[in-house]
Amino acid sequence: MKILQNGIIFIALSLLFSCAQMSTPTGGEKDTLPPKDSLYFPNNYTTNFSSKTIEVRFDEYIKLNSVSTNAIISPVMPSIPKFRVKGKKLIIELPDSLQPNTTYSIQLPDVIQDITEGNKVANFKYVFSTGDVLDSLSISGKAIDAFSLKPMEKMLVMLYKEKNDSVVFHKKPFYLSKSNTSGSFSLTNLKEGSYKLVAVKDENSNYLFDINEEIAFIDTILVLDKDISNINLYSFKEDHRKQQVKEAKYISPAEISVVFSRPYEKMEVSTANNYTIYRQTESRIKDSLRVIFKEIPQQDSIFLYLSGGGFSDTLELVKPTPLDSSLKATKTSLIGNKQPVFKPLQLLFSSPIENINEEEILLTEDSVKVITKSAVGGELKTELFIDYVWKEGSEYQLRIFPGAMQSIYGATNDTLKYNFKTMPEEDFGKVKIALFEREESVIIELIQQEKVVKRLFVSPTQKEIEFAHLIPGKYDLKIIIDENNNDRWDTGVYLSKKQAEKTYFFKGGFSIKANWEQEVKWVVE
């Protein structure tokens, strides 16, 4: 009896020790490895597949992440497979009625992850064929935003056996894939044949093209008898915006700003109150305008009539109170507190200027009064130019005394004072750009820190352009092929087989140095 008791105690201690040995260790290196598949049933790349389920065993416990949005199943099945996890095992339940003699692929990018650290399996793929042969052809390429040339992620790249253009509106594709973060896509395990290739940003996950979604396509039918690579799909959103007024507001007592939903060709403006329009100006792409009246409207509200290109609207604008009618300087052309020696000093004011009293404008150079020329300019007559032969290394003070300027509404300025030094021309740089041969006009944009700093419309005959007086730094160049000469980028139209206007960036950009002329030869590959 004593021996039996000792044996029971020994076994109990052994089990306790054994359990202690199996506990999760504390500390140590963090697990950074994703789960690894170790066993498939049926085997991956099986032919004559007839199973209703697929089981994949991993080397650790797993969970699924966003399977409904990330799973890529090609060709499209009659219904979506069901995915579930049992411990270390992934179970996929397939729908009935799979197509005969067809190669299917199930891709789960970043869906499968371990339950402890969330390490993801980047490129899980299971392939099987319901026939004797595994199809192995492929199509690969990149989805790119047509305007910015940035990669397009999660574009649904689709292959159709049907060749008619309208198929994308009412029928799901046969094969499909998705672009990754770099815009790259790959359609694999394809059967030899001819296909229509389209990509959409499928916002509502219906596998169709809806007119408010991004789309990309190639103009020809793909004949697939060998692998095809390096296809660039340039995506765009069609412009189906109906012309309407997005915003209309007073920006001064006698100035109204109107913003439209899309560009217009021509817009007529009039008022029910018979106020005289002093100036009407438009934005460069004609999607907004500003109206300045000759006198300040006295009514609390004003009616504005708009018409052009089949569009018409009547706006009632209520004048906000109080509304400042004083004449104020809102901006200068100084760079910091420095004035370039090669151009006049420019001041922008809040209202059109009607009169200038030169005697009330004082400019001193190194504390000595000098004679200047002042002039009003700009499309709205809101700009004051102080012209003088600036000297390098000198210090200046500009004082504009009260009443020196009077707006068309009778308002005058308060005291304005500016202290500045000059910037010699040697502080700036220049770039000359030799352009490639082309048949169309182009728009060339000089970009710094994603902001367009200079812009040119260039005819087909012009072979070289120049941007002068550039502040030193890193620049990019962008070119837009302006096929219809309207001085703006135009999007595409899918059913008309019209691609968006092409854009190009100068590879790598270039740097501008002070007192240096950069020469650039632009070759489009």
Side-chain angles (χ1 to χ4, degrees):
M1 186 68 176
K2 193 176 287 186
I3 294 172
L4 179 60
Q5 287 178 339
N6 288 340
I8 291 172
I9 292 170
F10 175 78
I11 292 169
L13 287 172
S14 297
L15 288 172
L16 182 62
F17 179 78
S18 171
C19 290
Q21 290 293 94
M22 289 176 64
S23 64
T24 303
T26 58
E29 292 186 6
K30 182 179 179 180
D31 178 20
T32 59
L33 298 177
K36 186 177 181 181
D37 49 2
S38 58
L39 184 66
Y40 290 84
F41 183 80
N43 288 330
N44 206 351
Y45 299 99
T46 291
T47 56
N48 297 307
F49 185 95
S50 60
S51 177
K52 297 298 182 183
T53 61
I54 300 165
E55 295 185 4
V56 185
R57 184 176 293 276
F58 290 85
D59 62 351
E60 56 183 315
Y61 291 97
I62 62 168
K63 60 182 178 180
L64 301 181
N65 172 54
S66 303
V67 64
S68 61
T69 55
N70 291 335
I72 304 170
I73 301 161
S74 181
V76 176
M77 294 181 178
S79 60
I80 299 173
K82 295 178 180 178
F83 298 85
R84 59 188 176 90
V85 168
K86 188 176 181 180
K88 299 180 181 180
K89 189 162 52 177
L90 169 65
I91 301 171
I92 306 172
E93 298 176 7
L94 300 174
D96 295 328
S97 305
L98 296 183
Q99 298 190 45
N101 301 312
T102 301
T103 301
Y104 287 90
S105 69
I106 300 174
Q107 300 177 64
L108 303 175
D110 294 333
V111 168
I112 303 165
Q113 55 186 246
D114 63 46
I115 63 171
T116 53
E117 300 295 342
N119 299 311
K120 297 176 181 178
V121 179
N123 297 303
F124 174 86
K125 184 178 181 181
Y126 184 88
V127 178
F128 65 89
S129 174
T130 55
D132 297 331
V133 177
L134 283 167
D135 296 320
S136 59
L137 294 177
S138 67
I139 298 173
S140 61
K142 199 166 186 178
I144 303 166
D145 183 271
F147 181 73
S148 68
L149 301 189
K150 292 181 179 180
M152 289 292 293
E153 182 183 4
K154 294 184 178 179
M155 287 287 285
L156 193 64
V157 184
M158 307 181 292
L159 279 183
Y160 295 86
K161 290 183 176 181
E162 298 82 1
K163 311 305 187 298
N164 57 303
D165 294 329
S166 62
V167 66
V168 299
F169 295 101
H170 59 79
K171 188 172 182 178
K172 293 181 180 180
F174 190 76
Y175 293 111
L176 60 85
S177 183
K178 282 184 182 178
S179 59
N180 60 20
T181 53
S182 66
S184 298
F185 67 87
S186 181
L187 292 147
T188 59
N189 302 104
L190 309 177
K191 189 187 293 287
E192 184 175 329
S194 59
Y195 299 97
K196 182 179 186 64
L197 176 61
V198 178
V200 299
K201 190 76 170 177
D202 191 22
E203 302 288 356
N204 55 3
S205 301
N206 65 353
Y207 297 94
L208 303 174
F209 170 51
D210 298 298
I211 59 172
N212 60 333
E213 294 175 336
E214 294 259 351
I215 187 168
F217 66 97
I218 59 172
D219 303 326
T220 57
I221 298 300
L222 286 179
V223 178
L224 185 63
D225 53 10
K226 61 181 179 179
D227 291 345
I228 299 176
S229 59
N230 299 319
I231 290 180
N232 285 335
L233 293 172
Y234 293 96
S235 75
F236 58 86
K237 185 176 285 190
E238 294 182 336
D239 190 356
H240 292 285
R241 293 171 297 171
K242 183 181 178 181
Q243 185 62 286
Q244 60 186 6
V245 174
K246 288 177 62 177
E247 181 186 56
K249 64 180 182 180
Y250 273 96
I251 55 178
S252 79
E255 185 176 1
I256 291 172
S257 167
V258 184
V259 180
F260 295 88
S261 59
R262 59 179 300 157
Y264 55 83
E265 294 300 323
K266 186 178 181 181
M267 193 64 64
E268 299 288 343
V269 182
S270 60
T271 71
N273 312 78
N274 295 319
Y275 287 113
T276 303
I277 295 177
Y278 175 74
R279 288 284 189 278
Q280 177 182 325
T281 66
E282 300 171 318
S283 64
R284 181 185 55 78
I285 63 171
K286 293 187 175 182
D287 64 350
S288 65
L289 57 83
R290 292 169 68 184
V291 176
I292 297 180
F293 297 107
K294 182 69 175 177
E295 61 278 342
I296 297 176
Q298 299 303 311
Q299 287 92 343
D300 292 335
S301 63
I302 187 172
F303 287 92
L304 207 63
Y305 297 146
L306 306 170
S307 63
F311 166 81
S312 64
D313 200 358
T314 301
L315 308 178
E316 181 182 9
L317 290 96
V318 178
K319 184 166 60 177
T321 56
L323 200 57
D324 190 358
S325 61
S326 62
L327 185 61
K328 294 183 177 180
T330 59
K331 191 177 179 181
T332 76
S333 61
L334 293 172
I335 302 174
N337 65 338
K338 293 185 177 181
Q339 167 63 28
V341 297
F342 48 80
K343 65 178 185 179
L345 172 60
Q346 181 183 355
L347 284 75
L348 180 65
F349 285 84
S350 56
S351 300
I353 301 168
E354 188 167 56
N355 296 315
I356 302 176
N357 184 352
E358 297 268 8
E359 294 182 359
E360 298 300 322
I361 299 176
L362 174 65
L363 179 70
T364 60
E365 179 182 79
D366 296 327
S367 302
V368 178
K369 180 181 177 181
V370 295
I371 304 299
T372 65
K373 291 183 179 179
S374 303
V376 174
E379 194 173 9
L380 296 175
K381 303 298 181 184
T382 54
E383 299 170 41
L384 177 68
F385 295 88
I386 307 295
D387 201 5
Y388 182 70
V389 181
W390 312 104
K391 293 181 180 178
E392 294 184 10
S394 293
E395 295 187 0
Y396 293 87
Q397 184 182 82
L398 174 66
R399 282 181 289 177
I400 302 177
F401 297 106
M405 289 171 295
Q406 185 180 46
S407 74
I408 61 173
Y409 312 119
T412 57
N413 63 285
D414 292 329
T415 300
L416 299 171
K417 184 177 179 180
Y418 301 95
N419 296 312
F420 55 92
K421 298 179 181 180
T422 53
M423 289 181 73
E425 196 157 8
E426 290 76 16
D427 284 359
F428 297 84
K430 179 194 297 185
V431 61
K432 284 187 176 180
I433 305 167
L435 297 174
F436 51 87
E437 294 288 333
R438 63 202 184 281
E439 296 180 357
E440 306 93 346
S441 298
V442 296
I443 302 163
I444 296 182
E445 295 178 340
L446 186 67
I447 301 169
Q448 189 174 44
Q449 296 179 349
E450 298 190 354
K451 181 181 178 182
V452 177
V453 293
K454 289 182 182 288
R455 188 179 188 280
L456 283 176
F457 180 82
V458 183
S459 69
T461 57
Q462 197 167 346
K463 306 302 180 187
E464 185 178 87
I465 62 170
E466 177 180 296
F467 291 113
H469 302 135
L470 300 178
I471 297 173
K474 179 78 173 177
Y475 289 86
D476 291 304
L477 277 173
K478 179 179 181 178
I479 193 166
I480 299 169
I481 307 298
D482 192 11
E483 296 175 358
N484 57 358
N485 295 312
N486 66 351
D487 198 19
R488 62 175 182 258
W489 178 82
D490 290 298
T491 189
V493 181
Y494 167 69
L495 285 177
S496 301
K497 296 186 183 297
K498 180 183 179 298
Q499 299 282 0
E501 288 182 331
K502 292 181 179 179
T503 61
Y504 301 93
F505 281 88
F506 183 74
K507 191 174 181 179
F510 59 90
S511 294
I512 290 293
K513 299 178 181 178
N515 198 28
W516 189 265
E517 182 179 298
Q518 175 80 282
E519 292 187 355
V520 170
K521 186 176 182 181
W522 197 334
V523 178
V524 173
E525 298 177 355

